[in-house]
Amino acid sequence: MKAISALLRRNRFLDELLSIEGNAKYCILTLPFQMIVYSLYTPFASLYMKELGLSDSQIGTVVTVGLISQMASSFIGGMVTDKIGRRKSNLLFDAVAYVTSALLMAVAHNFWYFVIAQGFYGLFQASNNAWNGLIGEDCEPDKISLVFSGLQVIQLLTTFLAPIAIFFIDRYDLVPTMRVIYGIATVTISMKILLLYHFDHETEMGKRRMSETRDIPLYKMFAGYRGVLGIIFKTPATFLLLAIVIIANVITVVCNNFFSLYISNTLGVSDAVVGYVPLVRAAILLLFMFGVQHWINSLPYKPVMIIGLLIYIVGFVSLILARESLIGLYIYIPLEAVAYAFVMPRKDALLTLFVDKHDRSKVFGMLYVIVLGVSAPFGSIIGALSDSNQVYPLILVILLCVLGCLLVLFGRSDLRREEEEEAPAAAGEL
């Protein structure tokens, strides 16, 4: 083991990652139990719904239901997280969101199964609130970007198990294979939830907020959101982050839910080949993260976000221009992977760093209420656009990326002095 550790530590990124302790360490170590099955079913989720008779518009509606559920859970998540603590909140909402939804997906037969499953799945936003607290509140500020990059690496490594799903889809067909994978997911995600709860500990801020809210009824805690709205809309940095997260959310909706439909229907890519796309993307991302991610983390915020959004634009344009040809796909995959490496880890790190510490859970909750309230209609909008012409969702996301570049370039984002002192160089400057 010492020899393996020494070998791993030759890479600067891995050396720093192995030095992480506390809750962040256990969040990283237990994540594979969830991400292994996630990587198996995610590339085929939309095709699974399509195979069971759903139209693109219905798939869009399912996405919208999930976003609305996320919005509702974000609203209550901050208060529940303060009331019962980060650990218990993460345990409760993870169990309901991930395990229940996976079980429903395993037995789904029509549109309504998917709607109900997404309703449960959307509760993960309340868990996400607690998860961010567990990861960031007791973590050294200069390691937060590193932690989120480490979480991304875990997700990418599990993607290389995708050929397992492809093998069984080729042999037993899509629907029965997906049912088994979702069934396995209910078991492995349950293991992840229980292991994390066993090893993690309540954060200092969590203990403080539990003490402060012990005698305050939940209905009175709702009133505190009025002040939170002021924090969000009167703080330029937080307001700018809000816009970035909304745009990133819509990009994710398109990439996760409609990209596979586009390359399957427009480019004629088979179901099996669709499964290899995340694998190739993960290989590129891993090379990128181990090679230059540390350098990206050291750059200021604005150029990183603008470059990332511009690369997204070029990638989506390549898909549009090379219709009925795989050339656009070959160009898109590496570009999307690099764009993701620029935009997504930095977005997550900035959210953790530049949200007010004392009201972190409430601010996170309200931020995502607003984000998801704005994002929710996009599921149905993109679904309707895809039914009309599968190029239209790509055009929409290109326009949003252009808007994001303009907001980052010209938006005011002055930080309070204490935030500037805490923000590590790895997160860059706003």
Side-chain angles (χ1 to χ4, degrees):
M1 290 298 292
K2 289 183 178 180
I4 295 173
S5 178
L7 181 63
L8 293 174
R9 287 184 178 275
R10 290 181 181 178
N11 181 275
R12 183 175 181 181
F13 174 74
L14 285 176
D15 182 46
E16 293 181 354
L17 194 62
L18 290 170
S19 70
I20 294 170
E21 295 293 338
N23 284 338
K25 172 183 176 180
Y26 296 116
C27 287
I28 292 172
L29 290 177
T30 57
L31 189 61
F33 288 95
Q34 179 172 338
M35 293 311 303
I36 287 173
V37 286
Y38 180 84
S39 67
L40 295 179
Y41 65 67
T42 298
F44 308 102
S46 296
L47 299 175
Y48 178 54
M49 288 186 270
K50 194 83 170 178
E51 191 74 14
L52 289 173
L54 276 68
S55 66
D56 286 9
S57 293
Q58 286 180 314
I59 293 171
T61 300
V62 170
V63 173
T64 292
V65 168
L67 292 172
I68 292 171
S69 175
Q70 290 178 48
M71 181 176 65
S73 65
S74 291
F75 189 66
I76 65 169
M79 292 177 292
V80 174
T81 299
D82 280 345
K83 193 75 174 174
I84 68 174
R86 279 66 170 144
R87 289 183 73 230
K88 289 182 179 178
S89 295
N90 193 69
L91 174 73
L92 171 66
F93 288 109
D94 264 6
V96 176
Y98 294 115
V99 178
T100 305
S101 64
L103 187 59
L104 283 167
M105 293 289 280
V107 299
H109 283 88
N110 58 42
F111 170 72
W112 295 107
Y113 279 88
F114 293 109
V115 167
I116 297 170
Q118 278 297 302
F120 280 112
Y121 179 73
L123 296 176
F124 85 85
Q125 279 295 350
S127 172
N128 194 44
N129 193 315
W131 167 268
N132 278 302
L134 284 175
I135 291 173
E137 287 179 347
D138 288 345
C139 185
E140 297 174 33
D142 63 348
K143 290 189 176 181
I144 291 177
S145 289
L146 174 67
V147 169
F148 280 104
S149 294
L151 293 170
Q152 293 292 335
V153 168
I154 295 294
Q155 295 176 36
L156 293 171
L157 287 174
T158 57
T159 303
F160 289 94
L161 296 174
I164 297 173
I166 296 169
F167 171 81
F168 285 105
I169 287 171
D170 277 342
R171 186 159 185 167
Y172 298 107
D173 207 5
L174 177 67
V175 172
T177 300
M178 291 292 284
R179 293 196 189 284
V180 172
I181 292 173
Y182 278 118
I184 294 171
T186 63
V187 177
T188 59
I189 296 174
S190 296
M191 291 173 61
K192 176 254 186 183
I193 295 167
L194 294 173
L195 284 169
L196 180 58
Y197 186 74
H198 176 75
F199 287 107
D200 68 4
H201 61 268
E202 187 57 65
T203 67
E204 292 303 314
M205 181 57 70
K207 294 175 184 176
R208 178 178 170 183
R209 293 299 292 152
M210 288 169 68
S211 175
E212 292 172 347
T213 60
R214 182 176 294 116
D215 299 321
I216 303 175
L218 278 175
Y219 74 88
K220 286 189 177 180
M221 294 177 69
F222 278 100
Y225 275 118
R226 287 178 295 182
V228 171
L229 285 172
I231 293 172
I232 293 172
F233 288 106
K234 292 180 182 178
T235 306
T238 309
F239 185 73
L240 181 58
L241 285 173
L242 177 66
I244 291 170
V245 176
I246 290 171
I247 291 170
N249 244 35
V250 178
I251 293 172
T252 301
V253 167
V254 172
C255 292
N256 287 357
N257 298 282
F258 294 94
F259 169 72
S260 59
L261 294 176
Y262 179 84
I263 64 172
S264 177
N265 297 334
T266 304
L267 302 183
V269 175
S270 67
D271 290 353
V273 174
V274 169
Y276 283 109
V277 171
L279 193 152
V280 175
R281 175 183 181 273
I284 296 168
L285 259 174
L286 280 171
L287 290 172
F288 198 81
M289 293 184 79
F290 284 115
V292 298
Q293 188 71 50
H294 183 82
W295 173 73
I296 293 174
N297 288 346
S298 70
L299 295 175
Y301 156 80
K302 283 191 174 185
V304 170
M305 297 303 294
I306 291 173
I307 291 170
L309 290 170
L310 288 174
I311 296 172
Y312 265 124
I313 291 170
V314 176
F316 286 121
V317 168
S318 70
L319 279 180
I320 294 172
L321 295 180
R323 294 190 64 186
E324 300 180 3
S325 168
L326 294 181
I327 294 175
L329 182 61
Y330 298 150
I331 297 172
Y332 168 83
I333 293 173
L335 290 179
E336 191 277 334
V338 172
Y340 185 96
F342 270 83
V343 173
M344 300 304 178
R346 181 59 59 90
K347 178 261 298 182
D348 291 335
L350 289 173
L351 275 172
T352 301
L353 286 165
F354 299 126
V355 168
D356 182 82
K357 286 189 208 174
H358 183 267
D359 288 315
R360 187 188 299 273
S361 62
K362 286 193 294 185
V363 174
F364 262 124
M366 185 53 70
L367 268 172
Y368 276 99
V369 168
I370 298 169
V371 167
L372 294 163
V374 176
S375 304
F378 279 95
S380 295
I381 291 169
I382 292 169
L385 288 173
S386 185
D387 263 343
S388 177
N389 188 321
Q390 291 191 326
V391 170
Y392 292 162
L394 303 182
I395 295 174
L396 175 62
V397 81
I398 288 170
L399 294 175
L400 288 173
C401 287
V402 172
L403 175 62
C405 289
L406 295 175
L407 288 172
V408 172
L409 186 61
F410 298 108
R412 289 185 64 242
S413 53
D414 305 319
L415 295 175
R416 292 193 299 273
R417 181 180 299 274
E418 61 268 24
E419 288 174 324
E420 289 178 333
E421 292 172 353
E422 266 194 35
E429 299 175 357
L430 280 178

